[in-house]
Amino acid sequence: MSVVPEMKQALLASVSAADNGRKIKDPATGETVGYAPQHGVRDLQNAVDLARSAQPAWADAGHETRSAALLAAADAVEAHAEELAQILSREQGKPLNGPNARFEIGACSAWLRAAAGIPLEPETLVDDGETRAEVHYRPLGIVGAIGPWNWPMMITIWQVAPALRMGNAVIVKPSEYTPLSVLALVEVLNTVLPAGLLTAVSGGRDVGEALASHPAVSKIMFTGSTATGKAIIKSSADSIKRLTLELGGNDAGIVLPDADAKAIAEGLFWGAFINTGQTCAALKRLYVHEDIYDAVCEALTEVASAMPMGVGLDENNVLGPLQNKAQYDIVERLVDEARKSGARILIGGNPDTEQPGYFYPTTLVADIDNNNPLVVEEQFGPALPIIRYKTVDEAVAMANALDVGLGASVWSPDLEQARTVAARVQAGTVWINKHGAVDPRIPFGGAKQSGYGLEFGVEGLKHLAQPQIING
Ligand code: NAD
């Protein structure tokens, strides 16, 4: 095993407060990673005061200056990339290698650069000689960014970068499971940003609630569970906050009968198992036509059996542990229920309880009913149910049967046919022959109870601004 012997301690030490902090453990080993400061509602008020004094000058600075700062922030992230990746790997559990920790840091700088580079000019709506109406995009003021533990740094950047670009100050509330990663990232960003503009308040649910209800905060960018999204709608109601809600999903993939099982197996695998299945827009229910059902099961099992899972700092591994015990318990319960119902476990399903860490093996479950809990609940872990279908109408109906609709995918070499099926699926994004591919140029957001509002691209910038019409 080629475990990196020691990580650079500088950043981690600077975000750790060993004397009074909350102990954060590596989910792969149980070892202590560091100590998170326990901020409370009083710290939040300090952050609000700082944001209030820093934001007007930042708003006045204009797009060019703000974009230059975001580019400098991207450079700073790149300069600290390996250090950040190691903190992330140890705290979140995801391996350094594969589409994991280093990939996540790369995405942070890519999204910072994209937010800096997208043009957003005022638009002329009417200019007929009598009326001239323009829409301008003004800063909102203070934005609260509340994030989850699965892609903690990348999602923080998704929230922070467009907010800063549009002239806002930002207060980040990281997940209590992964505060050190986000605090380290904020510290790196703050090496190039004006003081007070970006702060992180590392508290629990109470701090999240206080941020979502604070009268000085104009908008909440939230990524997390649908249940918390509903709570934020309620707590933000009194101050009529703007909200972007990126919530839970249970993405369906539909494999059409003409697909080539071997050719798509690796794409299906990573669509489902990226970040060990702990991804909002991962493939979580796979519908396969009966003609190629066995071939797809076989090809997926072959790919799955070749993907090493283990401690994140081991360069060989591409899959890691579940981030926390509560998530491990959900995955274990769902697979156990599927097994008891008579479903067939193709691979996995037998965790090694002697091993330290929250490792649940890569699990594929075949011959499972569409109403099984492993299909209808969000597993958010490395267990994929594979459901057989007879007609495309039946597959589309099953894909659309749930009240969430973040992403979906259709798999076929016949792109025209795939697009026709995609149009019938109720999801914010439908990918063809891939799943979960996000791109900073392309808007991303959920349908149904997977949330509302868009991130990325010019639409993402507009969601962090107050549109103002000048009519005269
Ligand atoms: P979570 O909802 O439990 O927690 C997310 C954040 O909300 C944490 O920082 C938490 O402290 C805070 N919070 C909790 N209660 C709050 C309240 N009442 N008011 C304000 N803040 C509160 O989510 P999680 O378990 O960290 O993340 C997993 C979930 O997130 C999954 O359902 C997943 O699908 C979803 N997710 C969605 C996206 C997306 O883009 N749509 C991306 C990643 C994760």
Side-chain angles (χ1 to χ4, degrees):
M1 218 164 74
S2 61
V3 176
V4 176
E6 52 187 53
M7 62 182 289
K8 285 189 201 168
Q9 289 294 333
L11 250 187
L12 182 56
S14 68
V15 297
S16 300
D19 44 350
N20 63 356
R22 197 163 58 82
K23 191 188 278 190
I24 302 291
K25 289 186 178 174
D26 182 335
T29 62
E31 288 165 11
T32 302
V33 180
Y35 295 82
Q38 308 227 61
H39 295 149
V41 173
R42 189 151 23 117
D43 300 288
L44 173 64
Q45 188 54 48
N46 290 339
V48 168
D49 295 342
L50 284 169
R52 264 197 183 124
S53 51
Q55 191 266 335
W58 181 247
D60 288 346
H63 282 291
E64 210 172 303
T65 301
R66 296 195 297 258
S67 289
L70 291 182
L71 293 177
D75 291 344
V77 168
E78 282 164 11
H80 288 279
E82 187 61 17
E83 220 178 333
L84 289 170
Q86 292 198 18
I87 293 172
L88 177 61
S89 176
R90 292 196 62 207
E91 179 178 62
Q92 205 283 334
K94 66 182 69 189
L96 287 172
N97 220 336
N100 293 297
R102 292 193 184 108
F103 169 87
E104 182 165 348
I105 307 304
C108 290
S109 52
W111 257 266
L112 281 163
R113 291 189 193 289
I118 294 167
L120 180 56
E121 301 295 336
E123 295 155 31
T124 302
L125 304 174
V126 178
D127 190 7
D128 62 4
E130 273 180 36
T131 298
R132 182 176 165 87
E134 296 170 346
V135 58
H136 294 252
Y137 295 94
R138 311 295 189 201
L140 285 160
I142 303 175
V143 172
I146 304 178
W149 47 259
N150 57 341
W151 294 90
M153 291 191 183
M154 182 174 78
I155 288 172
T156 297
I157 289 291
W158 289 358
Q159 300 173 331
V160 164
L164 290 175
R165 163 66 196 279
M166 296 311 294
N168 305 292
V170 189
I171 300 171
V172 175
K173 209 303 276 173
S175 166
E176 45 277 53
Y177 289 110
T178 51
L180 299 178
S181 313
V182 174
L183 291 170
L185 177 67
V186 166
E187 184 163 325
V188 168
L189 299 178
N190 272 329
T191 58
V192 300
L193 292 172
L197 197 62
L198 173 67
T199 50
V201 184
S202 160
R205 178 171 292 243
D206 56 330
V207 174
E209 276 170 11
L211 185 59
S213 58
H214 199 294
V217 174
S218 303
K219 163 134 196 172
I220 296 291
M221 298 288 289
F222 173 71
T223 298
S225 64
T226 298
T228 305
K230 290 177 184 175
I232 287 175
I233 292 170
K234 288 182 187 141
S235 50
S236 66
D238 276 348
S239 43
I240 318 277
K241 285 192 201 337
R242 278 68 183 140
L243 299 176
T244 294
L245 300 176
E246 297 287 0
L247 308 178
N250 196 342
D251 291 10
I254 301 176
V255 179
L256 298 181
D258 61 356
D260 176 340
K262 280 211 161 96
I264 63 172
E266 193 155 338
L268 288 173
F269 178 83
W270 283 116
F273 290 93
I274 186 167
N275 202 29
T276 317
Q278 302 162 105
T279 299
C280 54
L283 204 175
K284 291 171 181 149
R285 309 174 274 153
L286 183 60
Y287 295 95
V288 182
H289 190 269
E290 59 183 356
D291 288 356
I292 54 163
Y293 188 85
D294 291 337
V296 169
C297 287
E298 196 181 315
L300 253 178
T301 306
E302 200 179 318
V303 172
S305 62
M307 296 293 179
M309 176 185 285
V311 175
L313 298 188
D314 182 334
E315 297 282 351
N316 294 316
N317 294 325
V318 292
L319 299 165
L322 275 308
Q323 203 282 329
N324 54 71
K325 177 73 164 62
Q327 197 59 48
Y328 178 96
D329 289 346
I330 291 172
V331 175
E332 183 178 50
R333 171 179 62 81
L334 291 173
V335 175
D336 286 351
E337 284 182 33
R339 183 193 284 110
K340 279 186 207 133
S341 75
R344 185 161 54 99
I345 310 280
L346 298 174
I347 186 173
N350 54 342
D352 174 0
T353 48
E354 302 296 306
Q355 188 187 15
Y358 305 129
F359 287 101
Y360 197 91
T362 307
T363 300
L364 296 170
V365 182
D367 298 336
I368 183 166
D369 285 343
N370 193 46
N371 58 4
N372 192 284
L374 180 59
V375 180
V376 297
E377 293 179 33
E378 186 188 28
Q379 69 276 54
F380 216 62
L384 179 68
I386 309 172
I387 305 109
R388 197 188 299 261
Y389 74 83
K390 284 188 187 348
T391 67
V392 172
D393 285 351
E394 183 194 2
V396 169
M398 290 193 287
N400 289 341
L402 301 184
D403 57 14
V404 285
L406 188 55
S409 55
V410 180
W411 301 73
S412 167
D414 180 344
L415 294 183
E416 204 174 317
Q417 184 196 197
R419 288 195 181 108
T420 305
V421 175
R424 300 173 60 196
V425 178
Q426 297 162 352
T429 301
V430 185
W431 287 280
I432 292 171
N433 294 322
K434 56 189 175 183
H435 197 113
V438 287
D439 181 319
R441 300 165 301 179
I442 303 172
F444 174 71
K448 302 201 273 188
Q449 292 193 24
S450 289
Y452 48 71
L454 289 169
E455 296 187 277
F456 317 158
V458 72
E459 291 301 324
L461 293 183
K462 289 180 182 176
H463 278 70
L464 280 147
Q466 173 60 51
Q468 183 189 45
I469 307 296
I470 302 289
N471 184 346

